[in-house]
Amino acid sequence: MISVIFVEPESSGNIGSIARCMENFGAHQLILVNPCSLKGAQKMAMHAAHILDDAIITDRFQDALQYVDISLATTSKTSGFKRKAHLPDHVPSFPRPVRIGIVIGRESSGLTNKEIEQCDILVSIPTCDTYPTLNAATACCILLYELATSEKNEKQPKEFYWNKIMDEFEKITAIIEKRPHRKKIWTIVMKRLIYTAHFTERESTVLLGFFRRVRNVLESTPSQKN
């Protein structure tokens, strides 16, 4: 499922335009962080008014991230970060159960560096050097198109193997760790690794076989110590 997180939007018109883009590409969960008044957004949303009606509103960016599994931060800046920004058509594809969140920043200043660091993937849309900043709704529409296309082209085997790998991983963690908070952290990190890596089918089967072998060895061991 694809969601859009709009951080501190300053224009109700952009909120409505983003809702309309979401309806075009089958994304229906809009999350607004500390937004401006929504007055006037309905007019721009056209037939996507229901997305505005159902929008989730949070006071903090951290709370908005709880609604997605993988977050894609958008930025016009491509330097100064610890990781390389992806082009829109190079964003990894994800299996359908994964909740993907496109994170759009403020119209005037975008996302802060701190907010970008909290996201899983950094995306930058190439533009003219003389005016590199896209309108929030335009940027959102481009990414919605790329992700929707990626979902349609996603082959079932990847989703099948990713789910199997995560199933084996969770069985292993259940054996070697009893503390729920630590297992939760491990699972989050492993999901991010699996869902953002460009594994081939061969690599997926090798990794699945490895985890199965580890689980079999652990299950055959008389006792485990945390």
Side-chain angles (χ1 to χ4, degrees), residues 26-183:
H28 297 109
Q29 182 169 266
L30 176 61
I31 306 165
L32 303 173
V33 180
N34 193 23
C36 62
S37 169
L38 271 62
K39 185 178 180 180
Q42 297 275 357
K43 182 178 180 180
M44 295 300 295
M46 299 293 286
H47 299 295
H50 64 96
I51 292 179
L52 297 177
D53 294 337
D54 296 335
I56 298 169
I57 298 178
T58 70
D59 295 325
R60 303 188 310 157
F61 180 54
Q62 295 92 325
D63 295 333
L65 290 178
Q66 299 303 311
Y67 290 93
V68 300
D69 299 314
I70 298 292
S71 52
L72 279 62
T74 55
T75 180
S76 60
K77 298 180 292 184
T78 57
S79 60
F81 296 105
K82 297 178 182 178
R83 47 189 163 158
K84 183 179 179 181
H86 290 265
L87 295 175
D89 59 345
H90 289 173
V91 172
S93 57
F94 306 95
R96 286 182 180 85
V98 176
R99 301 172 299 170
I100 308 166
I102 298 172
V103 183
I104 304 294
R106 305 156 189 82
E107 292 94 322
S108 61
S109 58
L111 297 169
T112 65
N113 288 355
K114 183 178 179 180
E115 288 164 345
I116 289 174
E117 289 301 322
Q118 293 179 69
C119 296
D120 301 299
I121 297 175
L122 184 60
V123 184
S124 184
I125 302 170
T127 54
C128 177
D129 292 338
T130 57
Y131 192 33
T133 305
L134 286 171
N135 171 269
T138 303
C140 184
C141 195
I142 291 171
L143 291 175
L144 282 168
Y145 167 78
E146 292 293 346
L147 289 176
T149 302
S150 176
E151 277 195 340
K152 289 181 180 179
N153 294 335
E154 179 65 27
K155 296 180 181 179
Q156 186 65 22
K158 279 190 177 181
E159 180 179 337
F160 171 79
Y161 285 117
W162 288 346
N163 289 339
K164 290 291 186 182
I165 290 170
M166 283 308 305
D167 183 56
E168 291 295 333
F169 178 77
E170 288 171 0
K171 289 177 180 177
I172 291 171
T173 59
I175 296 172
I176 65 175
E177 181 59 66
K178 302 305 179 185
R179 290 167 288 186
H181 71 280
R182 180 164 291 187
K183 289 194 288 186

